[in-house]
Amino acid sequence: MWRDVPTEKPKYWIQFVHNKAHTAEEPVRDQLATAGVITLPGERSLSPLASHQVTLNDPQQVLALQQTARNTVVAGLDPAAVPADERAMAVLPVACEMTSVFTRKELREHKHTRKALAERFDALVPGLRKALRDSFLSSRAVGGGWGR
């Protein structure tokens, strides 16, 4: 997908994000498996759900990333001082309505910090957050995923 993005910032990211999502899932899974982060299922099953089940080899890595995202918002850090990757980890789960990072109470209590982080993210890559949200939510509405 990144090779298809023009060198100038695209005005509309959705064509790059959503239209290419079905080609991204398998390479990302393979990269994670090659790096030893996940273990793919051994043999294909007739169940459409079984083929998507992977084993996370070190759950502590995920918990650490989750904690980094939470701390970025909950600690009330200056959005200008937050590195771009940590800003993305804090902003994108909220945009995609993922409930595994922040509690509803935290979302309410830190609304201003989240908004400031989102504005900084949008200044870096205008339109990407909205395109990711739209793509994620539209695919979730129809069962999500295109993978094997």
Side-chain angles (χ1 to χ4, degrees):
M1 179 198 105
W2 288 115
R3 284 183 235 118
D4 295 339
V5 176
T7 53
E8 70 279 355
K9 290 182 183 172
K11 188 172 184 179
Y12 301 104
W13 282 94
I14 195 76
Q15 65 185 332
F16 301 105
V17 173
H18 191 70
N19 297 344
K20 298 285 185 163
H22 69 284
T23 63
E25 184 177 346
E26 189 171 339
V28 169
R29 282 170 51 111
D30 292 345
Q31 287 174 15
L32 290 170
T34 300
V37 176
I38 62 171
T39 301
L40 299 175
E43 57 186 62
R44 291 196 57 134
S45 165
L46 294 177
S47 167
L49 299 177
S51 65
H52 286 281
Q53 293 176 347
V54 299
T55 303
L56 184 60
N57 295 331
D58 185 3
Q60 293 305 315
Q61 284 182 312
V62 173
L63 293 174
L65 290 171
Q66 201 175 40
Q67 194 60 41
T68 298
R70 289 184 75 254
N71 288 343
T72 300
V73 172
V74 175
L77 303 173
D78 174 17
V82 176
D85 59 340
E86 291 180 21
R87 192 178 322 132
M89 286 192 299
V91 168
L92 296 178
V94 176
C96 295
E97 298 181 12
M98 296 172 68
T99 59
S100 59
V101 178
F102 301 101
T103 65
R104 291 194 189 283
K105 181 180 178 186
E106 289 169 337
L107 291 174
R108 277 190 313 276
E109 289 177 354
H110 302 285
K111 184 177 181 178
H112 296 294
T113 302
R114 290 187 303 106
K115 185 176 179 182
L117 287 164
E119 287 171 356
R120 295 284 299 187
F121 182 87
D122 291 344
L124 183 63
V125 278
L128 180 58
R129 182 171 57 98
K130 181 182 182 316
L132 287 169
R133 182 197 65 220
D134 293 350
S135 177
F136 184 81
L137 294 178
S138 69
S139 65
R140 183 172 74 180
V142 293
W146 295 269
R148 44 185 183 172

